[in-house]
Amino acid sequence: MPTYEYRCNECQRKCSTFVRSMSMSDPEDLRCPHCGAAGLQRAFSTFAHHRTMQQVWDNSGPPSAMGDDDYYKDPRNIGRWTEERLEQLGVDMPSEAREMIDAAREGDLPEPLKDA
């Protein structure tokens, strides 16, 4: 059963209401749970849009040639260039490098990046 959001015409606050019938579109018998007013108007509900890691990387792009310091402050980008370059070269990532990159993405930054 759907949950609809309404905005109160009196106090302008939003409230959510579980509706037992999908055909119910008129909130005649609904009251604002905040002020008790009967004047409710249907509101647009918010929704979430989740992006894949590939979409995040595609949107952020490569670091600039001038050295964009903010690029590497995002832990998702740490080691990204190394991963991509080794893949292009057909070389397996050394386990020590993989561990450092994974640790950095979890918040344990390598010494040179801690002060960045």
Side-chain angles (χ1 to χ4, degrees):
M1 296 299 146
T3 299
Y4 292 115
E5 286 189 353
Y6 295 93
R7 180 174 302 281
C8 177
N9 291 331
E10 293 294 319
C11 69
Q12 299 300 310
R13 293 177 72 183
K14 274 189 173 180
C15 63
S16 297
T17 304
F18 175 74
V19 180
R20 294 189 188 276
S21 170
M22 289 178 61
S23 63
M24 180 185 169
S25 60
D26 190 16
E28 291 176 10
D29 55 342
L30 296 178
R31 295 199 165 275
C32 176
H34 307 288
C35 71
L40 298 180
Q41 193 170 29
R42 274 287 288 283
F44 287 104
S45 299
T46 57
F47 61 92
H49 170 70
H50 301 280
R51 297 185 297 174
T52 66
M53 185 58 72
Q54 186 62 48
Q55 289 171 322
V56 170
W57 285 357
D58 290 344
N59 288 339
S60 65
S64 70
M66 300 294 230
D68 185 0
D69 292 336
D70 288 337
Y71 179 84
Y72 289 108
K73 288 182 181 178
D74 184 343
R76 296 173 295 203
N77 294 328
I78 294 175
R80 180 176 169 202
W81 182 87
T82 303
E83 291 169 328
E84 290 175 354
R85 189 67 180 134
L86 290 176
E87 185 178 319
Q88 289 171 354
L89 296 171
V91 176
D92 290 333
M93 168 107 37
S95 61
E96 184 178 289
R98 168 58 49 212
E99 290 169 9
M100 286 178 61
I101 290 170
D102 291 344
R105 287 181 177 154
E106 292 296 320
D108 185 19
L109 295 175
E111 282 301 319
L113 291 178
K114 283 188 178 180
D115 297 329

